[in-house]
Amino acid sequence: MDVIAFYVFGAIAIAASLGVIGQRNPMHSVMLLIASFGALAGLYVILDAPFTAVTQIIIYAGAIMVLFLFVVMLLNVPREEPAPRSLAGTLGGGGIKAAALLSVAMGIELVYAVYSLEHVSFSPGHSGSVSSVANIGQALFTKHAFAFEVTSVLILVAMIGAVILAQKEHH
Amino acid sequence: MVPLNYFLVLSGVLFAIGTAGVFLRRNLITVLLSIEIMLNAVNLTFVAVGRYLGTVDGQIIVFFVMTVAAAEAAVGLALVISLFRHRETLSPDAFTALKW
């Protein structure tokens, strides 16, 4: 049962991610990425992490992707323009091919490295302690309390930075 | 139960797709989306290994990664908006003023 769910969600995640980088229309890319995040939330549920699955949906698919959608609609650039001839000449179609080759090589290398590890199964005993939201909250506000507080400063700085960067310049 | 390796392989594949997107796309918004794919691939690794080790630390790191991703998206998109105001394009090839 778990294995079937894993294959289904994994296939959706990979297909949607390939769609994201294959689309010329940024609006479709954002929609496909939301589908990919939904599939990842399903994988988190398989991994006994319901809290992370819900956060994934609310923060990623709900907040961050809506921000992207806003910008795509605000800027109104429906399609990626094809590369100008001169630039394609200097950068070369070879550069693009080399980049594609490099990323495929990295993917194969990662998969090979993981496959050559010995296959490990999850121990079933842990599932309760990992999935408990109470445990997560306790660790977050005791062991990781400092990092949690620093995060609030980070968010404040990002907010001020975004407001200043996006405001119109007054000459 | 699905073995840990399956999740790590899936995560590696997703990360490679994200890298390919950063290299191949000529649209700043799609490049930011590819970075989100890579962040999510790493999140999957954290949750899977955290589940394997039986600790909640993996999920807590994912929580922090999500916050950083939100901050990154906000600042990155603000940059995209101000760049678009200057050049009326989103192609990274158009912004070469700092290139030596």
Side-chain angles (χ1 to χ4, degrees):
Chain A
M1 184 58 212
D2 272 356
V3 179
I4 298 169
F6 171 83
Y7 279 121
V8 170
F9 285 130
I12 293 174
I14 289 178
S17 301
L18 281 175
V20 170
I21 69 166
Q23 286 290 327
R24 288 209 170 272
N25 187 337
M27 186 74 91
H28 295 170
S29 289
V30 174
M31 292 300 179
L32 282 166
L33 195 57
I34 293 176
S36 169
F37 288 168
L40 277 169
L43 290 170
Y44 293 154
V45 172
I46 299 176
L47 283 168
D48 296 317
F51 173 73
T52 309
V54 171
T55 340
Q56 170 90 5
I57 296 287
I58 294 176
I59 297 184
Y60 257 121
I64 299 181
M65 285 303 114
V66 169
L67 191 65
F68 272 94
L69 271 184
F70 264 125
V71 172
V72 170
M73 289 192 277
L74 196 69
L75 296 186
N76 198 20
V77 270
R79 268 161 210 293
E80 188 173 319
E81 52 255 68
R85 275 294 138 226
S86 60
L87 219 139
T90 52
L91 188 77
I96 301 280
K97 273 188 205 119
L101 201 70
L102 263 181
S103 44
V104 169
M106 193 188 70
I108 292 171
E109 196 177 339
L110 279 173
V111 170
Y112 174 75
V114 171
Y115 243 87
S116 52
L117 295 172
E118 66 176 306
H119 276 244
V120 280
S121 292
F122 294 103
S123 39
H126 290 316
S127 83
S129 68
V130 172
S131 65
S132 148
V133 181
N135 284 350
I136 295 173
Q138 198 167 27
L140 193 61
F141 289 110
T142 55
K143 204 169 146 195
H144 303 280
F146 179 70
F148 186 79
E149 297 300 334
V150 170
T151 303
S152 63
V153 179
L154 172 78
I155 299 260
L156 180 67
V157 171
M159 192 175 77
I160 295 171
V163 169
I164 289 175
L165 282 172
Q167 78 183 167
K168 281 212 156 62
E169 289 170 39
H170 301 287
H171 291 292
Chain B
M1 193 72 211
V2 192
L4 175 64
N5 300 53
Y6 286 28
F7 287 98
L8 298 184
V9 166
L10 176 63
S11 166
V13 170
L14 286 176
F15 193 88
I17 292 174
T19 324
V22 172
F23 282 148
L24 297 177
R25 302 311 303 184
R26 284 190 315 281
N27 182 330
L28 286 175
I29 291 180
T30 322
V31 169
L32 282 176
L33 290 177
S34 304
I35 294 174
E36 299 291 334
I37 297 178
M38 290 159 80
L39 284 170
N40 270 279
V42 176
N43 279 355
L44 182 63
T45 310
F46 275 130
V47 174
V49 175
R51 169 72 183 78
Y52 170 66
L53 295 174
T55 69
V56 292
D57 289 353
Q59 293 183 56
I60 285 171
I61 290 185
V62 167
F63 179 79
F64 288 130
V65 170
M66 279 180 188
T67 350
V68 173
E72 172 246 315
V75 175
L77 289 171
L79 277 173
V80 166
I81 289 177
S82 66
L83 284 173
F84 188 76
R85 279 212 194 103
H86 280 278
R87 293 280 163 86
E88 293 288 314
T89 177
L90 283 183
S91 167
D93 298 331
F95 306 106
T96 51
L98 287 179
K99 218 176 200 171
W100 187 54

